[in-house]
Amino acid sequence: MTDTTTLATTDTVVLGANQYGKAENHVVRINRDTERHVIRDLVVTSQLRGDLDAVHTEGDNAHCVPTDTQKNTVFAFAQKYGVESPEALLLHLADHFTAEFDWVDGGRWAAHEHAWNRIEDHDHCFVQNKDEVRTAVVVAGGGSRTVISGFKDLTILKSTESGFTDYAKDQYTTLAETQDRIMSTDVATRWRYNTTDVDFDAVYEDVKRIILNKFTDHYSRALQETLYLMGKAVIEAHPEIDEIKFSCPNKHHFVYDLGFCDLPNDKETHYAADRPYGLIEATIQRKGAPVNEQAWTGIAGFC
């Protein structure tokens, strides 16, 4: 049998970056302070970082806060503090774990929020909103906290006022230029704050509004251009945001050739192709703002 303790302490093997916790704690918090109830529906992940070497290399669990304890804390804090916003709950969790346990010097706390809309403005009956999934991340370390907010799975489409021309071509290019096409995408975006003194719900709604408005207000020569204009508008409107990232597929729609049955088709009937698809990703930053790549650790891809 291999002596894993000896192996872990040799000169050839070292423990690298690590974190651990309880993933996807599904918390539904109903505010019943009045007859008009409010639902906050979150899926929360808690992960701790710090002096955890012995837990891995020696099997010494003295510094191992059980993942079950982290789960219980998530639910307890949802009850204790309520859910003012996903970001506010995550900040409470970050402050608690880094203060409660001396060897925990940081971590990553993340949440997805599923929204619910009222049925006919009813006080306590709701239908789940499928428009988008709200996301939030708090990263703590080195005595600082960074908040990253965003959303994903927001599908948008413009049926005209988009084209694609004058692009580079070689012997493998078959795509025909067009000055009038459907442009559609599933928006996934995250933005990084430079402060925690924020009305997170209000800023979230305004950033979403800006992104949707900017999608509509120009002729788009490429999805890349539109993403840049979206990000630029957000940065200019919100000094508390230093950078915003986008990861957006190009949801291609091709005019279907109905010549086989002698039917005209003037850009009216399309084939919606699900794959392959273009994937456009970009980061738009405030000029001169400090770069904080560590805050994005653990976030897959751009978003």
Side-chain angles (χ1 to χ4, degrees):
M1 180 180 293
T2 302
D3 184 342
T4 57
T5 300
T6 302
L7 180 63
T9 57
T10 64
D11 291 337
T12 57
V13 178
V14 295
L15 177 67
N18 61 87
Q19 59 187 16
Y20 80 100
K22 186 71 83 175
E24 298 197 18
N25 303 281
H26 195 165
V27 182
V28 178
R29 177 64 157 82
I30 301 178
N31 187 333
R32 298 173 177 265
D33 292 349
T34 68
E35 291 185 0
R36 189 171 177 83
H37 295 173
V38 176
I39 294 181
R40 304 304 295 253
D41 183 345
L42 306 182
V43 178
V44 179
T45 293
S46 169
Q47 294 176 289
L48 307 183
R49 303 170 183 169
D51 180 7
L52 302 170
D53 287 12
V55 180
H56 294 83
T57 64
E58 300 174 23
D60 181 349
N61 290 331
H63 281 186
C64 186
V65 181
T67 65
D68 191 68
T69 301
Q70 296 181 55
K71 174 200 70 178
N72 290 342
T73 307
V74 169
F75 284 90
F77 276 33
Q79 178 63 21
K80 180 178 180 179
Y81 296 108
V83 182
E84 176 186 340
S85 67
E87 294 86 353
L89 178 61
L90 300 183
L91 285 167
H92 284 305
L93 291 168
D95 290 347
H96 167 76
F97 284 111
T98 55
E100 182 76 7
F101 303 100
D102 293 342
W103 58 89
V104 175
D105 58 20
R108 180 178 183 272
W109 293 267
H112 291 169
E113 179 172 22
H114 301 275
W116 291 82
N117 295 336
R118 298 186 186 278
I119 298 175
E120 297 293 334
D121 201 37
H122 200 282
D123 283 346
H124 57 263
C125 292
F126 303 84
V127 60
Q128 192 170 65
N129 182 331
K130 298 292 187 178
D131 283 353
E132 85 269 10
V133 177
R134 179 173 173 177
T135 63
V137 174
V138 169
V139 178
S144 66
R145 304 172 303 168
T146 302
V147 179
I148 297 171
S149 299
F151 58 81
K152 62 179 182 176
D153 300 334
L154 181 68
T155 302
I156 55 179
L157 178 150
K158 60 197 307 180
S159 56
T160 189
E161 292 296 311
S162 174
F164 191 50
T165 64
D166 302 322
Y167 43 82
K169 303 177 182 69
D170 67 4
Q171 66 268 34
Y172 302 109
T173 302
T174 60
L175 183 69
E177 295 189 358
T178 179
Q179 294 183 340
D180 186 10
R181 64 171 182 170
I182 289 175
M183 188 171 77
S184 180
T185 188
D186 296 328
V187 179
T189 182
R190 292 183 188 261
W191 53 90
R192 177 173 60 85
Y193 292 101
N194 53 39
T195 178
T196 59
D197 185 16
V198 176
D199 183 339
F200 292 108
D201 280 356
V203 174
Y204 175 85
E205 292 297 334
D206 195 55
V207 169
K208 179 182 171 184
R209 178 192 63 80
I210 291 170
I211 287 172
L212 293 178
N213 285 350
K214 185 53 63 175
F215 183 73
T216 70
D217 76 354
H218 65 283
Y219 177 89
S220 178
R221 292 167 290 193
L223 184 54
Q224 287 92 327
E225 177 188 33
T226 293
L227 295 189
Y228 176 77
L229 292 173
M230 289 175 172
K232 178 174 179 287
V234 169
I235 295 293
E236 289 175 343
H238 287 280
E240 69 277 14
I241 295 174
D242 272 353
E243 66 179 326
I244 182 168
K245 294 177 180 282
F246 292 94
S247 180
C248 296
N250 205 329
K251 297 173 71 70
H252 300 296
H253 291 70
F254 300 109
V255 177
Y256 201 87
D257 184 0
L258 294 170
F260 69 92
C261 58
D262 296 324
L263 283 176
N265 184 10
D266 185 17
K267 302 186 182 74
E268 295 163 321
T269 300
H270 297 75
Y271 165 60
D274 66 340
R275 64 189 65 180
Y277 54 86
L279 181 60
I280 315 303
E281 298 182 312
T283 301
I284 298 89
Q285 298 170 319
R286 184 177 305 283
K287 187 175 181 179
V291 176
N292 188 351
E293 288 302 325
Q294 183 179 5
W296 297 96
T297 301
I299 297 177
F302 271 54
C303 296

